[in-house]
Amino acid sequence: QVQLVESGGGLVQAGDSLRLSCAASGRTFINYAMGWFRQAPGKEREFVAAISRFGRTRNYADSVKGRFTISKDNAKNTVYLQMDSLKPEDTAVYYCAAGIDTTHLNDGWGQGTQVTVSS
């Protein structure tokens, strides 16, 4: 199983930007599609974005489309989530995940990184 470690969360104001990183180890990173999910207090975990193994396919939740960008650096074994124009409703713990493709991201999860957006 792949090991994942997220970083880059923090406290920002509405309209600000953050870039989350997720470093992978343990398995060949290039073999994995990667994704980001988030969980707000009292809510279920929800899909945010996903990217295929070589980056040709990227999917986004409607709530973040046009504001968030997922990218994957296979040379650095890292996946990123660039978050722009942040809103208070983006406040959540963000998790990265790995899988065989963008719709099966269940081969490994990170511990999460907190993102808090103040109004």
Side-chain angles (χ1 to χ4, degrees):
Q1 193 176 34
V2 64
Q3 285 79 50
L4 304 171
V5 179
E6 302 96 335
S7 61
L11 171 62
V12 297
Q13 293 186 334
D16 285 351
S17 298
L18 272 179
R19 188 176 81 156
L20 305 183
S21 300
C22 174
S25 62
R27 293 289 180 93
T28 305
F29 183 69
I30 198 171
N31 290 337
Y32 286 94
M34 299 295 296
W36 288 94
F37 293 75
R38 67 187 181 186
Q39 188 167 19
K43 295 187 177 181
E44 293 187 353
R45 189 174 297 187
E46 64 175 2
F47 168 77
V48 175
I51 187 167
S52 59
R53 291 189 300 160
F54 298 103
R56 295 189 184 101
T57 301
R58 306 182 193 199
N59 300 319
Y60 297 94
D62 288 343
S63 59
V64 306
K65 204 170 291 184
R67 300 187 298 120
F68 290 12
T69 303
I70 188 170
S71 60
K72 187 174 186 270
D73 188 333
N74 287 327
K76 295 183 178 180
N77 289 358
T78 301
V79 62
Y80 303 97
L81 185 67
Q82 177 65 41
M83 306 186 294
D84 298 320
S85 302
L86 282 162
K87 303 176 181 180
E89 51 263 45
D90 294 319
T91 295
V93 178
Y94 284 71
Y95 300 89
C96 70
I100 59 171
D101 59 47
T102 57
T103 60
H104 294 87
L105 298 167
N106 52 7
D107 284 353
W109 289 86
Q111 83 291 346
T113 185
Q114 176 71 47
V115 172
T116 303
V117 184
S118 64
S119 57

